[in-house]
Amino acid sequence: MLNDRAKQILLKGRKATKEEIKYAKSVGYWSDNEILTHDDGMILLNNIIPTLSKEKLVDNFLYSLSTRNLVYRSGLSAYANSFNMPVHGFPLTKNHICCEICLDLSYATLRSINDIRIHMFALGGLLQRSVTSLYYNLEFTSKLPHQIPNENDINILKNIFRLINTVDKNISAPKLSQIIAKNKIIKSNSEERRMLLETLGFLGILETNEHKGFMNYYTNRKYQDHTRKSSRGDYEYPVDWWKASDGINNKAVKFWFTKYEKELIE
């Protein structure tokens, strides 16, 4: 089970007292900043991915939908961004100021692990999608217990899919988020819904023929950012390109939600 006291201390950030920080550290929620190079982060990420259970990540994601325990939601998003990412090193040439594959902004810098965890707990999403940030996310995610979703969880995702099949074909992700809120499909704020829809994009469920999610291969972050449709509400690739006319990729639904495909695919 989650430690609510440690969670609240983590969310306090700099306002936490020394005594509170000591407690949160003792239960593994609070970490001091540490220097981690891009290349060491790539090694750590590559090593942790095979140890993770896709079934557990999916179950925890679904479990988060009705409970709103958002930290359980972020792991699947991080995994989707990681498992097909090619092993790569940081480009140390003068004309490269960041990694073109994952957009890590520095080869070696002080990493704020707590900022990553705060994002996981508060919004259920990713602070960044660099190899180091993804590793810290999955390292914490791997320690979470395996939760079993209930019927309400399945119905929330099913109702989102049903809604997509009924709305105007020109509806984009930001507008879909508003319609989800209007129909009270899931308890959430706009940022939580944005990250939820972004996750469905990363999974390849909400994608386009040209702009794919990461189920089969990874698209470099440099390309993602150069093609980003910021006019649609500053959503991440590929769901920023998606419209309701693109529909739902049922192959991706079957790949990720294998145990629940009969309930989710109509």
Side-chain angles (χ1 to χ4, degrees), residues 2 7 10-11 29 57 64 68-79 112-128 132-144 192 195:
L2 294 179
K7 170 187 172 182
L10 177 67
L11 294 177
Y29 275 54
L57 292 169
S64 77
R68 212 176 179 184
N69 285 330
L70 300 175
V71 70
Y72 287 101
R73 192 174 301 176
S74 64
L76 184 61
S77 185
Y79 182 76
S112 179
I113 303 171
N114 286 346
D115 286 347
I116 295 168
R117 291 178 183 170
I118 288 171
H119 224 69
M120 294 169 67
F121 276 101
L123 297 173
L126 305 176
L127 176 63
Q128 297 173 336
T132 52
S133 183
L134 292 171
Y135 165 70
Y136 285 126
N137 181 299
L138 293 174
E139 189 271 338
F140 190 85
T141 295
S142 67
K143 300 174 183 176
L144 294 174
E192 292 169 24
M195 293 191 178

Side-chain angles (χ1 to χ4, degrees), residues 156-173 175-177 179-180 183 185 196-198 200-201 205-207 239 242-250 253 264 266:
I156 287 172
L157 188 57
K158 183 176 183 178
N159 287 334
I160 292 175
F161 290 168
R162 281 178 171 173
L163 183 65
I164 291 170
N165 289 326
T166 60
V167 296
D168 185 274
K169 298 304 180 184
N170 288 318
I171 292 297
S172 61
K175 183 62 177 178
L176 177 63
S177 172
I179 298 173
I180 289 172
N183 285 271
I185 292 176
L196 174 59
L197 294 177
E198 286 177 352
L200 295 179
I205 293 172
L206 302 184
E207 62 177 16
V239 79
W242 177 91
K243 293 194 299 185
S245 59
D246 296 302
I248 296 166
N249 181 359
N250 285 331
V253 176
L264 294 173
E266 296 183 329

Side-chain angles (χ1 to χ4, degrees), residues 187-224:
K187 292 182 179 179
S188 58
N189 59 40
S190 60
E191 281 296 284
E192 292 169 24
R193 291 191 300 277
R194 175 174 68 83
M195 293 191 178
L196 174 59
L197 294 177
E198 286 177 352
T199 298
L200 295 179
F202 300 148
L203 297 176
I205 293 172
L206 302 184
E207 62 177 16
T208 75
N209 287 333
E210 183 178 356
H211 303 283
K212 298 289 188 179
F214 309 133
M215 180 179 70
N216 293 317
Y217 56 84
Y218 182 81
T219 301
N220 291 355
R221 288 293 310 281
K222 182 180 180 181
Y223 174 82
Q224 293 177 38

